[in-house]
Amino acid sequence: MKPAPFVYERAGSVEEALAMLQRYEGDARLLAGGQSLVPLLNMRLLMPSAVIDVNDVPGLDEIREEGDEVAIGALTRYSRIEWSPTLVSRLPLLTETVRYVGDRQVRTRGTLGGSLAHADPTGEMPLAAIALGATVVVQSQAGRRAVPAEEFFLGPYYTVLEPEEMVVEVRFPVRRTVSAIAEHARRHGDFAVISVAAVGEPNGDGGWKSVRVALGGVADTPILAVEASALLSGTSLEPDVVARAGEMALAAADPPTDVRASADYRRHLIPIYVRRTLELLQTRRSEGAR
Amino acid sequence: MTEIVERQTEQTRKSFIGQRRTRVEDERLVRGLGRFVDDVDPPRLVHMALVRCPYPRARIVSIDASAARALPGVLEVLLPEDVLERTDPITILRPIPDAPAIMPRALADGEALYEGQPVVSVCAVSRYIAEDAAGLIEVEYEPQPFVVDVLKAIEDDAPILHEHMGTNVVVTNPRGDGDPERGFEESDVVVEDTFSINRVSGLPMETRAILADWTPGVKTLHVRASTQAPHLFRRQLAQSLRLPEADIRVTCDDVGGAFGLKLGIFAEDLLACVHSMDLGRPVKWVEDRMEFFRGATQARESVHQAKLGVSSDGLIVSYTNRYYVDAGAHNSPMGSPMLSSLMFQGPYKFPNGYVERNVVLTNKVPVGAYRGYGQPEGSFVREVLLDRAARKIEMDRLEIRRKNFIRPDDMPWQTIGGAKYDSGDYRACLDMAAETIGYEDVLLRQAEARADGRYVGVGFGCYVEMTGYPGSKFLGKHNAQYGAHEGVVVRANRSGGVDVYTGVPPIGQSTETAFGQVAATVIGLDPGNVRVFAGDTHGTPVNTGSFASRTLIAGSGAIERAGREVREKALRVAAHMLDVPVETLELEDSVITSTQGPRITFEEVALNAFYAHRMPEGELPGLEATAYYDPISNAFAYGTAAAIVEVDPESGEFTLERFLFVHDCGTQVNPLLVEGQLHGGIAQALGAALFEEIVYDQESGQLVNGSMIDYFMPTAADLPRIELGHTEVASPVTPFGVRGIGESGTIPPGAAVANALADALSPFGVDINRLPLTAEYVWRLLAAKQAAR
Ligand SMILES: Cc1cc2nc3c(=O)[nH]c(=O)nc-3n(C[C@H](O)[C@H](O)[C@H](O)COP(=O)(O)OP(=O)(O)OC[C@H]3O[C@@H](n4cnc5c(N)ncnc54)[C@H](O)[C@@H]3O)c2cc1C
């Protein structure tokens, strides 16, 4: 478990990192927290010519409130997300969800940008980004583009990122929402077997609007359960509606069989976890929390 | 009658046995100052990496190492033909009775029989370059038909691993008594099932590791090893490398866990030595986790066809278990486990029984010893079936156990499996467990919960554990390549302390602390005055090592004898120095006092003994003794585990709400160490019961989860609080009345949790018959029941 030879580059700015990416013509990898890249290098599953360390790039790990958005820099560590007062009050789903990622060591190093770029279908940050309707800001020497999180992921460990592009920040809309997550994992901090995140805006009349339900571990990428979300919006999450939403989420899923669980079991869990998440949403609303 | 150990240590003197003393090892380990193999970097060090077969089975057609050899920094590439001629097969330490030995070789000989088997070995100036070179070696493989399922491997048309055997069944070892078939006919209720036990691994924090350092000219091979048995390691190396033992020194400073898999040498050990002998440089190999899952011995996997017959009043009439152990592709020095057979009876007596072990080869990593050595498997099957029988006859599960326990006044008891239980009160542990967990209350709570649509269950698992060996003669009959004894040197030093030299390496269970307490007690010193030097074949007597829950049993016997000799000589020398009769002297707290008044320190006596200026007539200089102790019998530890679970029948998810373990390991030399052993063993047991499983794909024969990402070892966050209780019935057959404790924790937890689950789900009539107990498995059981309705 030693990596194949590579050139180690250290970028001092985003521009420098982008120039390096360009120079290696797709044969370089950015190094952020290293929590996925380093094992992949060590197992020689990846053998890039160069590794470009972006940990010294200033300003890439800021959390800024900008109007009705919060922008989080790509290099922001999980642990900062976990403890950021801004996020606790503005985006509690993020601070809650991030605790399901690995263990404390992993969260001390791992970053938001790395997590999105790595695109694990069970990843909690990709899930939260989709549930919250985030926008991923991507940059190359040619300029910047903003990609909605729902369109960012193309498959397992596969995104819309071009080789010469990097994630620079992720923008999250902030609204008066209630949110919840429920996850089934084989052990504490392990990759999810399935996870469900839900966000909704309470209506004055006890109902909900703009409900978004996203699922992890049930397809090639985390998915937004579009039909279920539409169904739930405008309801009071009555049990029969929730049950139907669970069935719709199930229909949208195409879960894999792997060493963690079979596709059958994942399918079985989908409606259960959709229901649990939505129940949690209701409870939180009535408690006035989050 | 069982012999009773003579006890010559007077009970009147101050004793440190039974004291909860902190571990002396922790002074270095907690500070990060332990010395493991990878901590040692001698000058001119080079590194080894291997090419391993990527197929479950393949003929090796050709190997092209030219690119690797040309890579700067590469020092040597060893192909099979380079080493097979120069090394002998690895000897089997504990041969399987009546079975052919299929001994591992340093590199695959023409054909590799499992994914991960070493095919080519490379040495380079860094591990990085060695791995680069390994990647450049082109091996042409011709994949062959394989089998990775133990029951498929015994079918007529299964590919045979070792052609000359004509079968994959290495051996069938039957054992029985009475007439089991008639017993079933006479039973009122018979329950039977086929149980699958998962393949798991012991997962030491320090993987396998070796540093081999050959000095040319003087011809010495100094090996730093991570092993449980340095003297056995030395002998095996000498045999396979065809060297006289004198040429080899094995040093073992700290071992980061072993659990049975570090018994005996592996192919990689031979390869590192051969490289070092060729290059005249120290060669290091520290296994990485990817290699670990493809090379270190694995354990437990077996299929048990078991049947239990009881009378309507709850007496066991007949019990049989025919089981198939998946041994992997060849023997390992300690594989495969034997104690599912020997201990199949557990704590119960019954007239008719039969147990049959079938050792079966498959194209998988070889199986070796793992803490418990067959007992967790056998015990799981028996305890789960017993609960089922109890449910069938509507008898309380405590009641059925109490009815069948072997009682204290039945002892010694000869079991059907071939063990002779020394002593013990099995019921006492069950009763304590039931009381501590509040059995009656749990049943009430269960009923209330059910009314509420929630499913709570409680379960128990009882065990008897064979600890130690019944003497070297017994092992001789079984052709083992070691004895049952331990030897120590106890030598006073000139500061008034004693040095204890033992071949038992420090593998984590804290023998330095325990041995120190025993030596201090026997001699009359404070444990702080005793230093234990462990694990170096230079300067320690030839011994057996740390396994089979035997170390303290055999070790304390040796220390008692050597310590007594030192003490008695010290008293004789003191008598001479003080000019008083020796009978008037007592040694305590490092001071020798005569009832007639004069006193002298142990330090002064020791100093004089080494100067030999004033010795009694005929007394030789020095103050030391070497002693061996060969156990006369096994001691049997025992106990009960209990668990409470709550299950969500919709999802199959469950929580282990409470877990407790009541046990008896005889005299506890140090309760702190006992608890540590139990915590570790229980964590491994719950890991195997709830999480862990090494999976091979049936279609491709490929290992599916060969890394820590996909092998679900539990972390502290996944384990319940462990509640411990104990009784203390001193064994009549061991020094100080100790019973082994190293393995107990691994044995009954799986059964306790399985029984708790079955209890919780009894309204559904669910039968548990495999490990691990995952949420998905519970869901499948329930789904199958629903489908059947
Ligand atoms: C023990 C363990 C447990 C884990 N458990 C979980 C879990 O439960 N849930 C979970 O979601 N994850 C888990 N992970 C993975 C973890 O979340 C990783 O940290 C994350 O996937 C990658 O983030 P990173 O900053 O470490 O990125 P790195 O490992 O440095 O990089 C990952 C990939 O992203 C690329 N990359 C990094 N930054 C950028 C950027 N700004 N722009 C473009 N590409 C970039 C890299 O080139 C690389 O290909 C676990 C990891 C470990 C080691």
Side-chain angles (χ1 to χ4, degrees):
Chain A
M1 283 184 85
K2 300 284 183 231
F6 58 82
V7 178
Y8 172 83
E9 303 270 15
R10 184 180 301 212
S13 65
V14 168
E15 289 65 32
E16 208 181 336
L18 294 174
M20 288 169 175
L21 280 175
Q22 198 79 43
R23 181 148 48 84
Y24 283 99
E25 296 179 341
D27 199 15
R29 287 280 175 158
L30 297 177
L31 172 69
Q35 297 305 296
S36 294
L37 181 63
V38 172
L40 289 169
L41 293 174
N42 284 347
M43 294 184 202
R44 298 189 180 224
L45 293 172
L46 285 181
M47 294 195 260
S49 309
V51 166
I52 303 166
D53 187 345
V54 293
N55 283 273
D56 280 355
V57 174
L60 210 51
D61 62 349
E62 285 172 7
I63 300 175
R64 293 186 315 269
E65 291 187 74
E66 293 176 355
D68 52 7
E69 279 191 331
V70 172
I72 306 180
L75 201 62
T76 307
R77 313 267 173 207
Y78 290 132
S79 54
R80 285 245 355 248
I81 293 175
E82 193 172 349
W83 303 113
S84 153
T86 307
L87 297 184
V88 169
S89 65
R90 311 302 303 274
L91 292 168
L93 183 66
L94 271 188
T95 56
E96 184 183 6
T97 303
V98 80
R99 294 194 181 155
Y100 288 89
V101 178
D103 48 38
R104 185 136 316 283
Q105 291 90 323
V106 171
R107 298 202 291 274
T108 300
R109 293 298 303 167
T111 67
L112 177 62
S115 170
L116 298 188
H118 184 61
D120 190 312
T122 71
E124 278 82 6
M125 289 299 100
L127 174 77
I130 288 178
L132 291 166
T135 304
V136 185
V137 181
V138 164
Q139 193 172 337
S140 70
Q141 284 192 316
R144 281 193 170 206
R145 60 183 177 127
V147 185
E150 292 157 62
E151 293 164 23
F152 183 75
F153 306 100
L154 297 178
Y157 317 106
Y158 179 38
T159 68
V160 300
L161 278 177
E162 297 295 335
E164 67 282 358
E165 282 181 323
M166 69 180 279
V167 177
V168 285
E169 70 179 22
V170 188
R171 307 183 71 89
F172 294 86
V174 178
R175 270 173 283 158
R176 301 173 54 82
T177 53
V178 181
S179 61
I181 173 170
E183 175 170 315
H184 179 98
R186 285 290 296 273
R187 55 184 168 169
H188 191 87
D190 196 40
F191 294 90
V193 167
I194 84 154
S195 51
V196 178
V199 185
E201 283 181 55
N203 258 344
D205 58 4
W208 294 80
K209 62 178 184 183
S210 310
V211 177
R212 289 173 71 91
V213 176
L215 292 91
V218 302
D220 281 355
T221 69
I223 56 169
L224 182 68
V226 179
E227 287 184 31
S229 300
L231 176 77
L232 293 162
S233 300
T235 73
S236 301
L237 306 187
E238 297 86 352
D240 59 321
V241 178
V242 168
R244 263 173 46 225
E247 293 310 315
M248 286 175 166
L250 177 59
D254 181 17
T257 289
D258 59 28
V259 71
R260 287 184 164 72
S262 69
D264 284 347
Y265 188 51
R266 285 190 164 95
R267 271 192 215 102
H268 176 72
L269 291 179
I270 288 170
I272 298 175
Y273 272 79
V274 167
R275 191 189 67 219
R276 285 188 194 170
T277 311
L278 294 172
E279 281 170 1
L280 199 55
L281 210 60
Q282 288 278 42
T283 312
R284 286 186 174 166
R285 176 185 189 166
S286 56
E287 284 168 356
R290 307 184 193 237
Chain B
M1 249 310 277
T2 310
E3 287 177 69
I4 303 297
V5 170
E6 39 169 346
R7 278 184 224 282
Q8 294 195 3
T9 315
E10 307 90 295
Q11 303 294 320
T12 51
R13 222 159 352 96
K14 191 165 176 177
S15 174
F16 301 96
I17 290 172
Q19 284 190 2
R20 178 180 285 274
R21 300 179 73 89
T22 51
R23 295 157 36 105
V24 297
E25 295 88 343
D26 287 346
E27 291 293 342
R28 61 176 190 274
L29 296 178
V30 172
R31 289 183 167 83
L33 299 174
R35 187 159 48 184
F36 303 91
V37 172
D38 207 16
D39 291 320
V40 181
D41 280 335
R44 304 176 66 244
L45 178 65
V46 298
H47 300 264
M48 180 173 90
L50 302 173
V51 176
R52 295 174 183 276
C53 180
Y55 299 100
R57 182 178 193 170
R59 236 169 39 75
I60 296 155
V61 180
S62 65
I63 302 175
D64 179 358
S66 49
R69 289 199 167 103
L71 189 71
V74 172
L75 299 166
E76 187 180 35
V77 176
L78 286 173
L79 304 183
E81 59 259 36
D82 302 323
V83 281
L84 293 174
E85 293 282 286
R86 296 166 56 191
T87 55
D88 283 326
I90 291 171
T91 51
I92 305 300
L93 293 169
R94 187 83 162 92
I96 302 174
D98 312 319
I102 314 146
M103 303 190 283
R105 307 284 331 240
L107 289 173
D109 188 0
E111 186 179 40
L113 290 175
Y114 59 93
E115 179 187 344
Q117 186 168 359
V119 176
V120 184
S121 168
V122 186
C123 230
V125 294
S126 77
R127 171 83 188 216
Y128 292 83
I129 295 174
E131 287 191 24
D132 292 346
L136 291 173
I137 291 169
E138 283 180 31
V139 183
E140 191 189 329
Y141 295 101
E142 193 177 274
Q144 299 293 312
F146 59 84
V147 58
V148 292
D149 178 86
V150 67
L151 291 184
K152 288 199 182 116
I154 59 175
E155 285 171 8
D156 286 343
D157 57 350
I160 304 293
L161 270 83
H162 300 273
E163 299 292 348
H164 67 277
M165 286 176 54
T167 169
N168 291 323
V169 182
V170 182
V171 73
T172 298
N173 301 131
R175 246 201 133 107
D177 201 5
D179 185 343
E181 284 316 313
R182 253 194 62 197
F184 290 128
E185 282 162 25
E186 288 166 5
S187 300
D188 295 313
V189 162
V190 176
V191 285
E192 63 184 309
D193 208 342
T194 300
F195 293 83
S196 300
I197 310 289
N198 42 342
R199 180 174 273 249
V200 298
S201 165
L203 283 171
M205 272 202 272
E206 184 194 31
T207 52
R208 295 180 295 153
I210 184 169
L211 175 59
D213 192 356
W214 171 258
T215 309
V218 292
K219 291 193 182 160
T220 57
L221 180 64
H222 184 190
V223 170
R224 285 184 179 274
S226 183
T227 178
Q228 296 170 244
H231 283 281
L232 304 188
F233 200 97
R234 182 190 190 202
R235 160 97 176 134
Q236 284 189 297
L237 276 187
Q239 288 173 312
S240 288
L241 295 170
R242 301 173 195 152
L243 290 175
E245 266 197 53
D247 291 2
I248 304 174
R249 172 184 181 184
V250 177
T251 303
C252 191
D253 287 323
D254 281 304
V255 178
F259 310 120
L261 70 84
K262 289 179 183 168
L263 279 170
I265 62 171
F266 284 88
E268 292 88 345
D269 297 315
L270 287 182
L271 293 167
C273 291
V274 171
H275 279 301
S276 181
M277 292 165 77
D278 284 353
L279 299 170
R281 294 177 70 165
V283 175
K284 185 189 276 187
W285 175 72
V286 177
E287 175 183 58
D288 64 41
R289 275 300 161 196
M290 302 293 281
E291 295 183 282
F292 174 83
F293 283 104
R294 289 157 183 82
T297 49
Q298 302 174 351
R300 304 250 200 274
E301 186 172 17
S302 48
V303 173
H304 298 246
Q305 297 164 344
K307 194 167 172 181
L308 176 73
V310 298
S311 66
S312 55
D313 57 354
L315 289 175
I316 301 174
V317 184
S318 189
Y319 177 47
T320 60
N321 183 1
R322 174 178 286 118
Y323 66 100
Y324 300 86
V325 176
D326 184 334
H330 55 62
N331 281 145
S332 67
M334 273 286 167
S336 67
M338 310 198 176
L339 299 187
S340 288
S341 288
L342 257 158
M343 298 305 297
F344 103 113
Q345 193 166 344
Y348 313 112
K349 59 177 153 191
F350 44 85
N352 308 297
Y354 178 76
V355 60
E356 180 188 295
R357 175 173 79 145
N358 296 277
V359 179
V360 181
L361 298 168
T362 61
N363 294 102
K364 288 149 88 170
V365 171
V367 150
Y370 176 26
R371 202 173 189 178
Y373 204 50
Q375 295 173 102
E377 302 92 297
S379 178
F380 173 77
V381 171
R382 184 190 62 239
E383 295 297 312
V384 168
L385 270 187
L386 191 58
D387 260 34
R388 259 192 232 174
R391 272 196 297 277
K392 276 250 161 81
I393 59 169
E394 294 178 6
M395 177 175 279
D396 180 82
R397 64 212 112 162
L398 302 182
E399 198 50 38
I400 198 169
R401 287 180 169 79
R402 287 177 185 136
K403 281 203 166 187
N404 290 287
F405 276 145
I406 298 163
R407 286 188 297 267
D409 55 12
D410 293 328
M411 306 277 184
W413 179 267
Q414 185 71 46
T415 71
I416 296 170
K420 192 163 100 185
Y421 295 173
D422 61 313
S423 65
D425 186 348
Y426 302 154
R427 183 179 166 154
C429 284
L430 178 70
D431 288 350
M432 189 188 280
E435 193 183 317
T436 313
I437 208 154
Y439 183 58
E440 304 298 332
D441 292 344
V442 182
L443 294 186
L444 287 177
R445 195 153 78 73
Q446 177 180 55
E448 284 166 20
R450 263 183 211 164
D452 222 21
R454 292 187 303 117
Y455 294 84
V456 174
V458 57
F460 297 85
C462 298
Y463 73 99
V464 181
E465 185 205 346
M466 173 177 260
T467 77
Y469 286 114
S472 299
K473 214 190 236 169
F474 163 87
L475 286 171
K477 273 190 250 156
H478 290 82
N479 219 5
Q481 302 301 298
Y482 54 89
H485 54 80
E486 276 299 315
V488 293
V489 172
V490 174
R491 179 185 300 149
N493 59 47
R494 287 159 293 179
S495 318
V498 301
D499 305 332
V500 175
Y501 295 87
T502 168
V504 174
I507 66 170
Q509 74 286 62
S510 202
T511 39
E512 287 165 72
T513 306
F515 281 11
Q517 285 177 247
V518 173
T521 301
V522 173
I523 299 169
L525 311 175
D526 184 86
N529 293 324
V530 181
R531 261 299 163 100
V532 177
F533 298 90
D536 193 331
T537 59
H538 271 195
T540 60
V542 171
N543 76 326
T544 295
S546 190
F547 55 95
S549 293
R550 59 175 293 282
T551 312
L552 190 62
I553 297 175
S556 65
I559 295 167
E560 186 188 32
R561 284 187 183 165
R564 196 164 64 222
E565 264 185 62
V566 165
R567 171 191 165 78
E568 283 166 3
K569 182 165 181 182
L571 294 181
R572 289 197 302 275
V573 175
H576 180 73
M577 293 169 78
L578 297 173
D579 198 18
V580 295
V582 71
E583 306 78 51
T584 68
L585 295 177
E586 178 58 280
L587 165 50
E588 194 171 281
D589 290 334
S590 300
V591 179
I592 297 162
T593 315
S594 167
T595 48
Q596 298 180 0
R599 44 192 286 161
I600 188 166
T601 62
F602 184 72
E603 181 179 347
E604 290 170 279
V605 172
L607 192 61
N608 176 46
F610 286 112
Y611 289 166
H613 290 173
R614 286 191 295 150
M615 296 296 272
E617 196 54 43
E619 195 79 65
L620 293 174
L623 185 52
E624 70 171 77
T626 302
Y628 285 85
Y629 176 79
D630 203 350
I632 54 171
S633 178
N634 297 104
F636 291 83
Y638 56 90
T640 298
I644 298 179
V645 300
E646 178 164 351
V647 193
D648 174 357
E650 186 188 23
S651 64
E653 294 163 310
F654 60 91
T655 47
L656 184 49
E657 287 186 356
R658 260 184 94 182
F659 181 84
L660 73 89
F661 196 102
V662 178
H663 74 103
D664 192 308
C665 65
T667 305
Q668 299 196 7
V669 169
N670 182 334
L672 194 67
L673 305 187
V674 169
E675 288 160 18
Q677 285 301 300
L678 285 170
H679 284 156
I682 290 167
Q684 288 183 314
L686 292 175
L690 303 174
F691 302 95
E692 299 173 33
E693 180 166 32
I694 295 171
V695 181
Y696 280 81
D697 182 70
Q698 293 297 321
E699 310 274 272
S700 65
Q702 222 78 56
L703 176 63
V704 174
N705 57 344
S707 88
M708 294 298 270
I709 300 173
D710 293 330
Y711 183 81
F712 308 122
M713 189 183 81
T715 67
D718 299 300
L719 296 172
R721 198 171 79 82
I722 295 167
E723 301 172 52
L724 296 178
H726 74 275
T727 62
E728 197 162 328
V729 176
S731 168
V733 299
T734 61
F736 306 100
V738 299
R739 306 172 196 271
I741 187 58
E743 299 172 88
S744 293
T746 60
I747 301 173
V753 178
N755 285 340
L757 279 172
D759 181 45
L761 298 174
S762 60
F764 302 91
V766 155
D767 285 336
I768 286 168
N769 62 6
R770 60 149 252 187
L771 294 174
L773 307 165
T774 61
E776 175 165 357
Y777 171 61
V778 172
W779 167 68
R780 282 187 184 286
L781 287 173
L782 288 163
K785 281 285 159 193
Q786 258 147 27
R789 269 195 200 149

